[in-house]
Amino acid sequence: MLTPPNSIEAEMAVLGCMVLSPQIIGDVLEVVQTADAFYGEANGTIFSAIKAVYDKTGTVDLVLLLESLKNSQELENVGGVAYIAATLTPDGVIHHLNNVHRIGFGGRHGRHPPALTALAEALRGSPVDVRLLDNPIHSLCDKRPHR
C-alpha cells in the first residue's frame, strides 16, 4: 500500500504557526481536528498538547506548551525542547524546505473551504510562499519554486 504524500517539515510549520500566531488556532482546528491527521507521531502529540492548552486557556504560547508537555511527561518523547524549538525559528522561516519555502492549501475538487482561506490569509506576509491551490495533490509533486 502506498503512503499518501506527507511532510514532517510541513507539519512542523503548522505547529510553529499555531504557537507563534495563536489567533489562527481556531481556523486550524476547523481543518485538523485530531492528532491522527499527522504522520509524525511527535507532531501529533504536540498538536494534542496545543489543542489541550488552547481548549483550557483560549491561547497558546511556548511556555504553556512546554509546561503542558512536561506535565504529561511527553516532552522527552517528542524530542525535547530542541524539537519544539525546531518548529519555531525566530524569523518564522522554515529552514527545512531548502529553496522552495512554499505551503500549498486546497480543498477537494477545487473548492476552498472558509477555514483554508482563513489559514492562508493568516499566513500571508510570512517569508513562506502560501498559496490556495485548485489541485493540491498535483502540486505536492511540483518541487520548482514559483516565480
Side-chain angles (χ1 to χ4, degrees):
M1 183 168 165
L2 294 174
T3 301
N6 64 81
S7 170
I8 298 300
E9 292 84 4
E11 292 177 1
M12 291 170 70
V14 169
L15 297 170
C17 288
M18 291 174 78
V19 174
L20 293 172
S21 301
Q23 69 273 14
I24 70 163
I25 293 175
D27 294 327
V28 173
L29 292 176
E30 288 182 24
V31 178
V32 182
Q33 288 87 29
T34 67
D36 294 337
F38 292 86
Y39 285 91
E41 186 176 336
N43 292 339
T45 300
I46 294 166
F47 173 82
S48 293
I50 290 171
K51 185 177 183 311
V53 169
Y54 181 77
D55 288 345
K56 183 178 179 180
T57 67
T59 191
V60 174
D61 63 28
L62 183 57
V63 173
L64 292 172
L65 174 60
L66 291 174
E67 182 179 309
S68 174
L69 289 167
K70 283 180 191 174
N71 290 342
S72 65
Q73 300 180 352
E74 291 287 351
L75 183 59
E76 294 310 313
N77 294 337
V78 300
V81 174
Y83 188 83
I84 301 296
T87 68
L88 311 168
T89 57
D91 55 2
V93 175
I94 302 166
H95 294 287
H96 304 286
L97 295 178
N98 300 328
N99 64 347
V100 177
H101 294 32
R102 177 179 50 191
I103 297 175
F105 296 94
R108 294 178 189 249
H109 312 294
R111 286 180 258 147
H112 300 147
L116 287 181
T117 303
L119 182 58
E121 286 301 316
L123 293 172
R124 293 220 192 279
S126 72
V128 177
D129 179 11
V130 178
R131 295 173 184 255
L132 281 172
L133 305 168
D134 290 329
N135 194 336
I137 300 300
H138 287 120
S139 299
L140 288 172
C141 298
D142 182 9
K143 302 297 183 200
R144 295 170 290 151
H146 289 288
R147 304 209 188 277

